[in-house]
Amino acid sequence: MSRKFSPKVVTANDLLVGDVVYFTAADQWTRNHTEAELIEDEAHAQIRLLDASAQRNVIVGAYLADARAGDHGPEPVHFREVFRTRGPSNYAMGKQVGERPGPRS
């Protein structure tokens, strides 16, 4: 018995910088999860993954990640994907640079 398909986004890592990126409906890569294309059809998801994976000069490690529709665009479902939207877990680099609490040394 096959599992029911759940909505997905295509995600990967930027080849040069390493940041987490998401594939948009316009065949562009964005660092913002809410701008990703939310794919609700399994066959279309496989085609979009092939389209994304063909951009080997831009990204590495493309895969389909579970997502759901949110008020401002797709939202990650799994905690791993929530962590990936935030960037590296140290505050010295990545998307969290401006979010560090307290004074910097």
Side-chain angles (χ1 to χ4, degrees), residues 13-21 31 58-60 88 93-94:
N13 288 88
D14 183 283
L15 183 61
L16 297 178
V17 181
D19 281 354
V20 175
V21 290
R31 286 171 170 72
V58 179
I59 56 96
V60 64
M93 57 189 290

Side-chain angles (χ1 to χ4, degrees), residues 18 24 33 38-39 64 71 86:
T24 70
H33 192 282
L38 183 64
I39 306 165
L64 296 169
D71 292 339
R86 297 180 187 151

Side-chain angles (χ1 to χ4, degrees), residues 6-87:
S6 60
K8 311 272 189 229
V9 297
V10 178
T11 184
N13 288 88
D14 183 283
L15 183 61
L16 297 178
V17 181
D19 281 354
V20 175
V21 290
Y22 304 95
F23 206 43
T24 70
D27 293 345
Q28 302 290 317
W29 292 99
T30 179
R31 286 171 170 72
N32 189 342
H33 192 282
T34 60
E35 295 174 358
E37 177 185 17
L38 183 64
I39 306 165
E40 300 190 29
D41 176 76
E42 186 171 6
H44 185 64
Q46 294 301 322
I47 291 169
R48 297 299 289 157
L49 180 59
L50 289 172
D51 291 344
S53 297
Q55 297 187 18
R56 286 179 261 167
N57 61 337
V58 179
I59 56 96
V60 64
Y63 65 94
L64 296 169
D66 288 339
R68 64 177 166 247
D71 292 339
H72 304 289
E75 297 176 347
V77 173
H78 194 274
F79 70 89
R80 177 179 186 267
E81 298 304 322
V82 173
F83 291 149
R84 291 183 79 240
T85 64
R86 297 180 187 151

Side-chain angles (χ1 to χ4, degrees), residues 91-101 104:
Y91 290 100
M93 57 189 290
K95 298 174 183 176
Q96 297 181 56
V97 167
E99 299 176 12
R100 184 177 182 175
R104 293 191 160 186

